[in-house]
Each structure stands twice: as structure tokens, then as C-alpha cells.
Amino acid sequence: KKKDFRELINPGLQIAGILLIVCCSIDTYLWRYTIWPEAKVFYFNTWMNKSNEWGRMPFLWYCMIFTTITFFKFYIPFFCSLLSVLYGCFLFTSLYPCCYLCLFISLLLSRSLSLIPCLRYFYSALPRVMLLGLPLAVAGILTERRVFNVTLPAIIFVALYSLLPHKEVRFILYVVPLLNIAAAFFMKKLWDKGILFRCAILGMLLANLLGCSVFLSASYHNYPGGSAMAAVHKYADCDQNTTVYIGNYAAQNGASRFGEECEAVFERRWNYIKTENLTISTIRGFDLLLVEPKEVTHYNPTHTLEEKFYGFSRIRLKPTPPFILTEKKEVLYLLRSKSMKKKIHIINS
């Protein structure tokens, strides 16, 4: 049943109002001052266009195909070639031969695109999120107008967000359910073609599951700042005046305000400092430091190394099980002031 767009405006506004009240109430409670985070972020990133201060990506970053990860440099061209064969077989029985011919050519070209050096250093958003579901979604959009109408808002959404210099995968996650509809539609068409296509679909689903497992392992090790933030609280009691310096890398990789255990309970006896561009002499005055390994030498005279934290480095292929390994590297050090050690020793004695 079709509904006129005007019929959806009133319930849409009602639901939006309720959700806005709930979200603002929760965020105001958590941040301890009245705030509408989405509006604040929109004003900073879009209206003032200052998102590029957090990094810039090319316009087509959301839709680029190849990554710098070894796994994708080898396997994406392979799967594209496999899909090209499947689509080529399907081409002869399709009612839309021109669409499939274009898709077939584009997939063949994707094999050669991986050889272009300038593209090897860029990584994608949609291909990483949807993996082998993306070419299926593209095929579904090209072959069915109803599917195109459903996914058109998602396409426009990604295009508009591509105009902003700063790009992150989380900005466009909302389009994935709509694109999955397109992928599911075309998958059903392939499924009805026979056993060969059914085996191919099951293989693609298994490959997607494997890819998601690899990404899950990488993500698990990708926020060492959170582990470091939890560790700093072992070195002093919350009722003890303590200063913690959180470096840039730690702040970007998990060391958020939600990990500040002592500040909320003991009225700022702990001070967590994230100020950038502080001088080395100023940072040496803090009790606990979360810094990168390359910065440690600056603080050897005043601090000692207490813990090391590891983060995701790369994915490595092996000829033997488990075939795919997630490698880690040292990314964060926790340093404690030498004077703080003496102070704690005196208190405990």
C-alpha cells in the first residue's frame, strides 16, 4: 500500500520530537550540562565546515574499492573476478543485458584498478562495511526500479556526506540496511537460477562472515586508549589529588570521558588533561602520562615506564591454520612520575 508523503509528516514529527526529548535528557545527564550533541556536531562539522580539522579524505573515499590491508589487496580482485564470471553467466538470461554488461565491465576494471599506485593508499567505507554484498546491491539497484527508489535516499545521503572533507565510516552506517535490501533482492534472483548460483551465494555469505570476523578481531584491538584509561586508576586512590595527561593518540583511540572514574565521584580531585601543544616541561609536571612510544624519551628524567598497551597493526596471511592473523604493535605507554612514587610510598608507610 502506498502512502502520500504528506501523510507521514505528522507522525514523523511526533516521533522525532519524542526521540529528541529522550536523547537530549540522557546526554544532558551524562555531560552534566544542557546539550543537544547532534546539533552541536552538525553546527561544527557542516555549518562551520570545520570537520577537516580532524583529517581530510578524497571525495570518492566512501565508494573506493581497495584498501592498504594485505587481505584486501589479494582477495578483493579475486572475488571481483569470481563475481564477473557469475554475472557474465547471468547476463544471457537477464532482462536487462545492458545493465549487467556495465556491471561486468566495471568488475573487470576493478582488477586493474588495484594496480594503480595512487589508489593503494586509500581505503573505502562501503566496501569494508558490506564486503561482497556491495556488488549485489549495485546489481539490485540497476535491475529493479522499485529497489532503486528504496535506495535512492541512501545514495543521496552518501553523496552529500562526501562533500565534507572529513569522512568516517560511522557517518554512513545508516545506509547499510537499505543497501542490504538491494543486495537481498538480487541474491534472490540468483538463487532462483540454479544450484551453481546457490553454491556461489553460500560461498559469498561464508566469505562475508570470515571478513567480519577479521574486522571484529581488528576492532577489538583498535582502542588501546580505553584499556590505558582503566589502568591509570590502579596507581592512585580516587581521593588523592592526581593529574593525568592524555596524549593525542590515547584521546583518539578510546580514552574518553566515560573512562574518568574518579572525577565524577570525588569532585575533580583527579584532573584529566587533554590539552594539545603543551610544552614538554609542562607535561613533565603531571603525575600519570598516556603517551606514544616515540615520546617516551622526553620524560625519562621525570617519569618511569609502568605499562605498555598494544593496538592493531595489520592483518597477516599464513599458509597454515588459522591462515589469517591479527598483528599488534606497541602504541601507548603509561608513565608514572618518580615523585608520585615517593609520595605514595610515604602515604602507605
Side-chain angles (χ1 to χ4, degrees):
K1 181 181 177 179
K2 291 185 177 181
K3 282 187 173 291
D4 190 272
F5 179 74
R6 291 170 292 184
E7 298 179 49
L8 303 176
I9 294 178
N10 187 41
L13 290 177
Q14 292 178 4
I15 295 174
I18 294 173
L19 293 178
L20 181 61
I21 294 173
V22 173
C23 293
C24 289
S25 300
I26 294 175
D27 285 313
T28 297
Y29 172 77
L30 293 175
W31 291 103
R32 301 176 211 162
Y33 67 93
T34 304
I35 183 175
W36 180 10
E38 290 78 13
K40 187 173 183 179
V41 171
F42 179 82
Y43 177 73
F44 180 87
N45 288 343
T46 307
W47 185 261
M48 300 181 69
N49 197 26
K50 289 188 176 182
S51 61
N52 54 32
E53 295 180 5
W54 303 102
R56 303 174 66 94
M57 292 293 180
F59 177 79
L60 293 177
W61 182 81
Y62 284 126
C63 302
M64 284 181 176
I65 297 176
F66 296 98
T67 76
T68 57
I69 303 176
T70 304
F71 177 83
F72 283 95
K73 287 195 295 185
F74 285 97
Y75 281 82
I76 286 290
F78 170 77
F79 283 122
C80 284
S81 301
L82 175 62
L83 288 174
S84 298
V85 175
L86 295 176
Y87 289 135
C89 295
F90 192 67
L91 176 65
F92 298 102
T93 57
S94 171
L95 297 177
Y96 305 89
C98 294
C99 295
Y100 285 101
L101 181 60
C102 294
L103 182 61
F104 180 79
I105 294 174
S106 67
L107 289 171
L108 289 178
L109 288 176
S110 67
R111 179 64 184 90
S112 60
L113 284 175
S114 65
L115 304 177
I116 302 177
C118 65
L119 292 183
R120 291 179 183 174
Y121 300 100
F122 297 101
Y123 56 96
S124 62
L126 286 176
R128 277 190 297 151
V129 172
M130 298 191 64
L131 300 179
L132 297 180
L134 184 58
L136 293 177
V138 173
I141 293 171
L142 291 176
T143 56
E144 177 58 54
R145 178 169 294 277
R146 292 175 300 171
V147 174
F148 174 78
N149 292 337
V150 169
T151 56
L152 182 59
I155 297 171
I156 296 175
F157 183 86
V158 175
L160 291 176
Y161 258 88
S162 296
L163 296 175
L164 294 176
H166 181 64
K167 299 175 178 64
E168 296 184 32
V169 175
R170 61 190 177 96
F171 293 167
I172 62 164
L173 283 179
Y174 319 102
V175 308
V176 174
L178 292 178
L179 295 179
N180 279 339
I181 293 175
F185 169 82
F186 191 75
M187 187 178 294
K188 178 61 170 60
K189 295 187 71 171
L190 289 179
W191 186 269
D192 294 337
K193 288 297 175 181
I195 187 65
L196 174 63
F197 291 95
R198 293 183 181 184
C199 292
I201 289 174
L202 293 176
M204 293 170 64
L205 292 176
L206 183 62
N208 264 20
L209 179 61
L210 176 63
C212 290
S213 301
V214 173
F215 283 153
L216 177 62
S217 176
S219 299
Y220 178 80
H221 300 291
N222 214 27
Y223 291 92
S227 302
M229 196 67 172
V232 299
H233 300 95
K234 300 188 300 184
Y235 294 92
D237 295 328
C238 284
D239 58 355
Q240 179 181 334
N241 292 330
T242 305
T243 53
V244 182
Y245 173 73
I246 302 172
N248 185 50
Y249 185 90
Q252 293 185 29
N253 293 276
S256 68
R257 292 198 64 183
F258 295 105
E260 298 176 5
E261 300 176 8
C262 296
E263 181 182 14
V265 180
F266 290 95
E267 298 179 355
R268 298 185 178 274
R269 291 193 178 182
W270 277 54
N271 288 321
Y272 303 88
I273 310 299
K274 295 183 180 180
T275 306
E276 297 185 65
N277 302 320
L278 295 179
T279 63
I280 294 176
S281 59
T282 301
I283 297 175
R284 284 177 176 175
F286 294 108
D287 297 317
L288 298 168
L289 310 180
L290 294 179
V291 295
E292 298 178 56
K294 63 183 180 181
E295 302 173 319
V296 171
T297 54
H298 299 310
Y299 312 110
N300 284 336
T302 55
H303 291 71
T304 57
L305 175 62
E306 296 292 342
E307 292 189 47
K308 299 178 181 179
F309 300 92
Y310 298 83
F312 172 77
S313 175
R314 67 188 183 99
I315 294 172
R316 184 166 63 89
L317 301 180
K318 286 181 56 180
T320 57
F323 302 112
I324 301 175
L325 290 179
T326 301
E327 293 189 351
K328 297 179 289 183
K329 63 180 179 180
E330 297 176 358
V331 292
L332 274 179
Y333 285 173
L334 170 58
L335 308 182
R336 181 162 64 168
S337 171
K338 295 177 180 179
S339 61
M340 184 183 179
K341 276 189 173 183
K342 296 178 181 177
K343 178 173 60 176
I344 292 177
H345 176 73
I346 294 173
I347 293 175
N348 292 338
S349 61

